[in-house]
């Protein structure tokens, strides 16, 4: 008999509500949930493929342990965890910084990742924590921490009310948005233009989004910070920089004005490739627009001047009077787990960077983690003896991939929590596979903090956990118990209670919390009979800004969300400054010292020979998801192929032809790849998507191996933006030649 179930899609930041049709345990159809208060029926092809993911025969159904000959054998959970304990034991007794953790992107999409990973790394007591953030958005975290006092105080474009959106280094028509949770961005951007608003896209490629824009600024890769500085420069020198309402709550405007002085439109033109008149016109349009917003994403962040660019985006929003204003860039007020939710009334602490360093490359810590760009060197150089990967595939996703693959193969201990035997986990001594996402409940703790409306939505597990599988929650609890020295046999209920108690204890010490001053044990008891992720989520909802508190009936609880299966809309975003600020000054720090200290580096870049040779950028494809969804047949093939985009002029000059083969060589490595000649890319730039290269031995990815593509990160050398430690993944110098 056919049944249906609602499900929030865990596959990207858009968090669409889906309706699944089931025949017993089989998912026979996936549609958008028209009644979802946030996504209103939108979905993309990946959402449809959730069914294929659920039924993928290559998903692991039992833990694996690596054998002497390098192959993997299925074992019982008890044996798997006993092996983990045996392998980690000696290291747990020694210098714990020698145990590395690599946490990948899907952790942001699971409650186990959001609620247990921090406890696990704390118990492990290591400072060698690496996450996908330093290949992604760390520049935004750093600039947000310095400017607003919290790494997650990130303003998002109020797309539904703006008149003018300037977007850099983002392609939401493929990615569906990032640090910007807005299901149906294609529709929202269309609506912006239909109501007379304008969309301007700065991208070296005529991306799917740029193709729909009113203006496409086809700039040279790696030069966003220069161009943004010129935009601020124009506004300042034309006397059109105005902080508006925020003037009194802001420090550092004069320093910003001085810092951008050298970056005139004329001066940045040779580097950016953007005509001075275009820069001046965009600055004027920004200032003229009633409500405008600037947004930069991965092309802007994963670049040499990532933090400067991220900072300048928010400076532009501030000096055009659009920061914290409807139709501009607004801070969401999330229902649960948001650190800035409540005005604390106390000054915050200055953000410290570089509190420790990686042992081999000496790279500075950033907001509690080490840059992934040094992972290969730390492993190969013995700084880290063991690595635990959780929902990550660094062998494909991380820079300097050639060296990293060798280091992973040679690692003394590699333990992976992952559903697939893939390019990373094939080297693992133990693989602990979580079940399909449909076996756990879903609530987006992270993305509600970045959403264009304040919303709360929960979906319970769609299907019960089959016999013989372990939930990701249980896997993480068991690993936490091992890290805590309680051993693989520990009583998991007690481990979970300790984690819940720690969370509650923090809340009862927080001024202004409805739980302030309460007895933690009584709070814990009152959450019964709920356990697991649901108990913690109920608590966080109750403690949050819309929450019912300890004993109220009115306000959010998990019960309330269960009674509203299509979600609860909590309204449009509203102004939140100065209440959310946690800076030491209690004001918006428009010119933080660490950022100003990096400006001379940008200034020196003005004099570089920018038009020397080819540079490589990435691109995302709609039916792809970093490295891990190429094993689902409906998603691969057609336009979703790993090809090198080359402009016709470059193709002619280099002797390349469409559908021919080429080699691309960088300081880090060399790949051979299919060529696609297209005028959608700027001359002098080539583009290769990341996450491919599924031709390694010892994987179990039947579909992906048929069209493996190449690993673009063999070409990225592991350079970083110094302030954030973020990997430089775009603007890589390459030489391209016909193959053979
Ligand atoms: N050249 C280049 N490189 C890039 C980028 C780029 O633009 N260019 N982008 C970077 C960015 S933004 C990111 S976020 C990173 C991503 O880097 P990673 O997070 O390391 O890579 P993913 O490909 O997302 O790998 C996700 C892994 O999680 C597993 N997985 C999927 N679902 C679950 C689950 O529910 N639980 C668990 N435990 N595991 C699961 C998958 O099998 C896969 O092994 O890549 C970065 N790398
Ligand atoms: N379909 C799909 N969706 C995804 C993902 C996926 O792999 N596939 N990954 C998810 C993840 S982890 C993330 S972080 C988000 C990322 O989401 P987005 O930030 O929207 O990422 P992209 O789609 O890669 O768009 C980046 C754009 O930057 C351009 N670019 C490259 N270099 C530069 C530069 O120097 N300057 C400027 N201005 N532009 C440049 C590229 O040409 C590209 O069009 O997407 C998420 N959603
Ligand atoms: S846009 Fe993202 S959240 Fe929506 S269906 Fe596609 S993958 Fe899922
Ligand atoms: Mo990402």
């Amino acid at each position: 008999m056919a049944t249906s179930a609602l499900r929030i899609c865990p596959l990207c930041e858009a968090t669409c509500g889906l309706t699944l049709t089931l025949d017993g345990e089989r998912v026979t159809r996936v549609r958008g949930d028209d009644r979802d208060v946030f996504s209103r029926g939108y979905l993309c092809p990946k959402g449809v493929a959730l069914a294929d993911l659920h039924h993928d025969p290559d998903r692991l159904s039992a833990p694996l342990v690596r054998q002497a000959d390098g192959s993997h054998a299925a074992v019982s959970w008890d044996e798997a965890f006993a092996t983990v304990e045996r392998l980690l034991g000696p290291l747990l007794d020694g210098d714990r910084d020698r145990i590395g953790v690599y946490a990948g992107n899907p952790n942001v999409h699971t409650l186990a990742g959001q609620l247990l990973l921090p406890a696990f790394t704390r118990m492990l007591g290591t400072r060698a924590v690496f996450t996908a953030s330093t290949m992604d958005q760390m520049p935004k975290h750093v600039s947000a921490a310095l400017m607003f006092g919290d790494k997650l105080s990130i303003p998002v474009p109020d797309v539904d009310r703006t008149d003018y959106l300037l977007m850099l280094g983002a392609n939401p028509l493929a990615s569906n948005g990032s640090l910007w949770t807005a299901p149906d961005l294609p529709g929202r951007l269309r609506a912006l233009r239909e109501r007379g608003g304008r969309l301007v896209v700065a991208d070296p490629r005529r991306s799917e989004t740029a193709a729909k824009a009113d203006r496409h600024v086809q700039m040279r890769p790696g030069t966003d910070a220069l161009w943004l500085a010129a935009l601020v420069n124009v506004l300042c020198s034309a006397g059109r920089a105005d902080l508006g309402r925020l003037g009194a709550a802001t420090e550092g405007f004069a320093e910003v004005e001085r810092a951008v002085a050298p970056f005139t439109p004329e001066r940045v033109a040779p580097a950016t490739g953007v005509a001075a008149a275009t820069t001046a016109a965009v600055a004027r349009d920004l200032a003229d627009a009633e409500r405008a917003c600037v947004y930069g994403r991965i092309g802007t962040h994963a670049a040499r001047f990532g933090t400067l660019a991220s900072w300048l985006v928010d400076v532009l929003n501030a000096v055009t009077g659009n920061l914290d204003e409807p139709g501009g860039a607004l801070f969401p007020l999330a229902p649960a787990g948001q650190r800035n939710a409540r005005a604390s009334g106390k000054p915050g602490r200055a953000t410290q960077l570089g509190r420790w360093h990686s042992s081999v490359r000496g790279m500075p810590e950033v907001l509690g983690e080490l840059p992934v760009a040094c992972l290969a060197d730390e492993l190969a150089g013995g700084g880290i003896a063991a690595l635990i990967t959780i929902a990550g595939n660094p062998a494909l996703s991380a820079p300097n991939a050639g060296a990293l693959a060798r280091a992973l193969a040679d690692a003394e201990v590699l333990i992976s929590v992952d559903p697939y035997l893939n390019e990373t986990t094939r080297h693992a001594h133990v693989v602990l596979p979580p079940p399909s996402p449909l076996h756990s409940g879903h609530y987006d703790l992270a993305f509600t903090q970045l959403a264009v409306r304040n919303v709360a939505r929960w979906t319970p597990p769609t299907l019960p956990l089959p016999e013989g599988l372990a939930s990701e929650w249980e896997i993480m609890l068991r690993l936490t118990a091992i890290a805590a020295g309680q051993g693989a046999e520990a009583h998991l209920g007690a481990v979970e209670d300790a984690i819940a108690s720690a969370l509650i204890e923090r809340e009862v010490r927080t001024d202004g919390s409805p739980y302030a001053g309460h007895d933690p044990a009584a709070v814990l008891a009152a959450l019964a009979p709920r356990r697991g992720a649901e108990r913690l989520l109920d608590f966080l909802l109750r403690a949050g800004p819309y929450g019912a508190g300890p004993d109220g009936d009115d306000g959010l609880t998990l019960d309330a969300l269960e009674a509203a299966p299509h979600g609860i809309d909590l309204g449009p975003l509203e102004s939140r400054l100065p209440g959310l600020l946690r800076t030491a000054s209690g004001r918006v720090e428009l010119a933080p010292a660490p950022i100003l200290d990096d400006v001379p580096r940008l200034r020196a870049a003005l004099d570089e020979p920018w038009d020397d040779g080819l540079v490589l950028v990435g691109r995302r494809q709609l039916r792809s998801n970093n490295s891990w969804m190429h094993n689902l047949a409906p998603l691969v093939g057609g336009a979703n192929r790993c090809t090198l985009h080359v402009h016709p002029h470059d193709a002619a000059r280099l002797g390349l032809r469409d559908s021919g083969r080429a080699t691309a060589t960088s300081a880090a490595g060399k790949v051979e790849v299919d060529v696609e000649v297209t005028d959608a890319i700027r001359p002098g730039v080539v583009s290769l998507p990341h996450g491919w290269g599924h031709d390694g031995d010892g994987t179990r990815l039947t579909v992906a191996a048929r069209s493996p593509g190449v690993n673009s990160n063999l070409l990225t050398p592991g350079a970083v933006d110094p302030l954030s430690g973020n990997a430089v993944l775009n603007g890589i110098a390459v030489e391209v030649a016909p193959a053979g």
Side-chain angles (χ1 to χ4, degrees), residues 8-18 30 32 39 42-50 109 172 174-177 182-186 622 624-625 629:
I8 300 166
C9 179
L11 298 174
C12 93
E13 299 180 41
T15 69
C16 301
L18 306 177
V30 181
S39 61
Y42 181 75
L43 86 171
C44 84
K46 277 190 299 189
V48 177
L50 195 55
H109 298 268
S175 71
N176 276 296
D184 193 14
L185 271 170
L622 180 64
S624 193
N625 199 13
M629 292 186 73

Side-chain angles (χ1 to χ4, degrees), residues 142-150 153 249-251 340 344-351 577-590 592:
V142 169
S143 70
L146 292 169
M147 296 175 79
F148 310 118
D150 187 282
S153 290
T250 303
E251 297 202 331
N340 70 21
S344 80
K346 283 187 269 182
R349 266 183 300 180
T351 299
L577 290 178
L580 67 63
L581 295 172
R582 295 287 184 280
T583 51
S585 64
R587 307 167 87 185
V588 174
E589 303 262 7
L590 212 54

Side-chain angles (χ1 to χ4, degrees), residues 136 171 174-175 202-203 205 222 224 298 620-622 624 626:
D136 185 342
N171 183 17
S175 71
D203 194 310
R205 299 186 310 114
D224 298 44
I298 196 96
R620 278 177 167 72
Q621 296 152 308
L622 180 64
S624 193
N626 298 321

Side-chain angles (χ1 to χ4, degrees), residues 7 60 158 162 187 194 252 264 325 404 418 457 586 616 625:
R7 178 83 224 164
L60 302 175
D158 190 12
T162 198
E194 280 167 8
T264 61
E325 290 293 338
L404 185 55
D418 204 286
R457 295 172 306 153
L616 174 74
N625 199 13

